[in-house]
Amino acid sequence: MARRALITGITGQDGSYLAEHLLAEGYEVWGLVRGQSNPRVSRVRTLLRDVRLVRGDLLDQGSLISAMEKVQPDEVYNLGAISFVPMSWEQAELTAEVTGMGVLRMLEAIRVCSGVTASRGASAGQIRFYQASSSEMFGQVRETPQTERTPFHPRSPYGVAKAYGHFLTQNYRESYGMFAVSGILFNHESPRRGAEFVTRKVSLGVARIKLGLADELRLGNLEARRDWGFAGDYVRAMHMMLRRDSPEDYVIGTGRTHSVRELVVAAFEAAGLPWERYVVCDESLHRPAEVDLLCADPKKARTQLGWEPEVTFEQLIAMMVESDIRLLSAGEDPHQHSSWP
Ligand code: NAP
Ligand code: G4F
């Protein structure tokens, strides 16, 4: 029998790569989709024809229990979230509900459907749970590089909500013996990245300038540093964590850090354009509290999971710029659908 996986956040960047990876591994893959007429669902139906869909919402406990009962998964990947950091200041309560409380609702759905109680712990063959934790939890970092033991100091309502989900996942593991793990993933990108995130905003901006569709690119803080990797590499790590004998949390990143300025230079270079002529610094795009520096120490993942990223920062940025030049040349522009500047 094929193993069965349920993915929340199937319409997002990671959901699509993870579904492709698990299908290739022989899994039966189900995706949780929300809303009455969610336009992103048709994209999933086109891109991921073999994924089955089940309705549910991280805001609705009953719908998650029903989805769990219907799918009867072996593995659950909770990727659903409000994931754009600036939105978490504008809609802090919604972020807490979806990104934070959504984790509680998923864990409860698994606990209830598995008949696990305080006196009756989880059994062998139990449902395995992956939580999409984030390097945003490190926030104002206490040490560099960041490991599984680095303390958290989140700098946004999003980071705070992720820290809640992270500790709750750990708590359900310790309280009920559930196979529940968190991957603390650093920034990962791809041609499927949402247009509001900085790498994609830059690759789309460069493509637009290259094709004569724009003459400037407005950005916020160019000095912030991130550890950027390729999403396709990171979903492999999620799967590896659930195939271990014992549940543990892992930091996933490349161990290399670059500034937004270096990202800009690499992207304009990939298109053969001088970046200074086009980039405009816009104070209004700075955040109320910034995460200045993120850099992973992925040693535990390398030694215990055997995980290594395959795509370098330079390859990733070139891949995104080339993809967006092709996309815009074909008349498509994903930024048209984004409500963020
Ligand atoms: P993404 O592209 O923004 O996708 C977010 C997904 O969450 C979408 O499928 C969205 O579905 C879903 N969602 C939003 N509200 C929901 C709700 N109420 N109920 C159910 N689903 C809901 O995010 P991503 O980049 O793929 O990231 C996947 C996960 O990893 C997220 O939890 C993110 O916070 C976390 N993470 C990402 C990174 C990164 O660098 N990408 C790093 C660390 C952690 P709709 O289409 O219905 O809106
Ligand atoms: O691409 P970003 O919006 O990603 P951010 O805030 O690091 O969050 C992403 O990675 C997290 C993992 O660390 C995930 F948990 C989270 O869900 C998300 O996927 O911004 C990156 C940096 C920031 O320092 C920001 O201030 O880029 C800087 N930046 C400068 N100008 C900009 C812009 N960011 C955006 N989005 N837009 C700009 O114009």
Side-chain angles (χ1 to χ4, degrees), residues 68-89:
M68 213 66 72
E69 281 174 347
K70 179 170 181 177
V71 175
Q72 301 274 321
D74 300 295
E75 296 172 13
V76 173
Y77 296 85
N78 185 36
L79 310 185
I82 288 178
S83 75
F84 187 47
V85 173
M87 180 163 168
S88 76
W89 278 286

Side-chain angles (χ1 to χ4, degrees), residues 38 52 223 233 332:
N38 183 342
R52 301 176 193 203
E223 309 314 326
D233 284 338
E332 289 178 47

Side-chain angles (χ1 to χ4, degrees), residues 51-310:
V51 170
R52 301 176 193 203
L53 301 180
V54 58
R55 266 186 289 278
D57 195 307
L58 289 169
L59 296 172
D60 183 337
Q61 179 73 78
S63 74
L64 301 178
I65 293 174
S66 300
M68 213 66 72
E69 281 174 347
K70 179 170 181 177
V71 175
Q72 301 274 321
D74 300 295
E75 296 172 13
V76 173
Y77 296 85
N78 185 36
L79 310 185
I82 288 178
S83 75
F84 187 47
V85 173
M87 180 163 168
S88 76
W89 278 286
E90 290 191 8
Q91 299 187 21
E93 188 178 338
L94 185 65
T95 302
E97 281 292 342
V98 177
T99 305
M101 289 291 286
V103 185
L104 173 65
R105 296 188 187 102
M106 286 300 289
L107 286 163
E108 277 294 287
I110 292 174
R111 190 186 67 74
V112 168
C113 290
S114 314
V116 171
T117 64
S119 56
R120 189 167 170 270
S123 57
Q126 61 174 295
I127 300 172
R128 295 181 172 211
F129 178 76
Y130 172 86
Q131 167 57 20
S133 284
S134 165
S135 53
E136 271 288 305
M137 300 185 304
F138 295 123
Q140 193 156 298
V141 296
R142 304 278 176 85
E143 60 182 1
T144 296
Q146 294 86 46
T147 74
E148 292 78 8
R149 289 172 307 286
T150 303
F152 298 154
H153 181 153
R155 295 274 282 169
S156 63
Y158 167 82
V160 174
K162 280 289 179 188
Y164 171 78
H166 182 85
F167 284 124
L168 198 73
T169 302
Q170 203 173 64
N171 179 259
Y172 269 54
R173 180 165 80 214
E174 293 171 2
S175 304
Y176 300 113
M178 285 169 62
F179 196 111
V181 305
S182 292
I184 307 174
L185 270 54
F186 284 63
N187 298 52
H188 46 279
E189 321 291 316
S190 73
R192 298 181 196 166
R193 186 59 146 152
E196 59 275 28
F197 299 95
V198 75
T199 52
R200 190 75 197 282
K201 182 173 171 182
V202 169
S203 65
L204 279 165
V206 167
R208 232 177 267 123
I209 291 167
K210 181 78 180 172
L211 297 173
L213 303 170
D215 54 14
E216 67 169 32
L217 174 60
R218 302 190 84 79
L219 292 171
N221 180 9
L222 297 186
E223 309 314 326
R225 300 184 75 86
R226 291 290 182 274
D227 181 333
W228 279 293
F230 172 54
D233 284 338
Y234 286 45
V235 299
R236 284 191 287 110
M238 298 176 187
H239 181 221
M240 286 170 165
M241 284 179 222
L242 287 200
R243 295 321 310 153
R244 291 274 299 167
D245 289 339
S246 59
E248 284 185 48
D249 302 332
Y250 293 88
V251 156
I252 301 295
T254 68
R256 290 178 66 206
T257 182
H258 295 274
S259 65
V260 175
R261 187 184 298 275
E262 287 163 359
L263 153 71
V264 166
V265 171
F268 277 84
E269 254 175 33
L273 294 167
W275 72 276
E276 301 92 330
R277 192 182 301 167
Y278 300 105
V279 172
V280 177
C281 290
D282 185 340
E283 285 279 326
S284 73
L285 296 173
H286 284 234
R287 298 176 179 187
E290 179 62 280
V291 172
D292 295 321
L293 164 66
L294 291 174
C295 183
D297 177 352
K299 191 161 78 208
K300 184 180 174 192
R302 194 167 52 235
T303 52
Q304 293 191 8
L305 301 177
W307 179 83
E308 292 279 358
E310 287 172 4

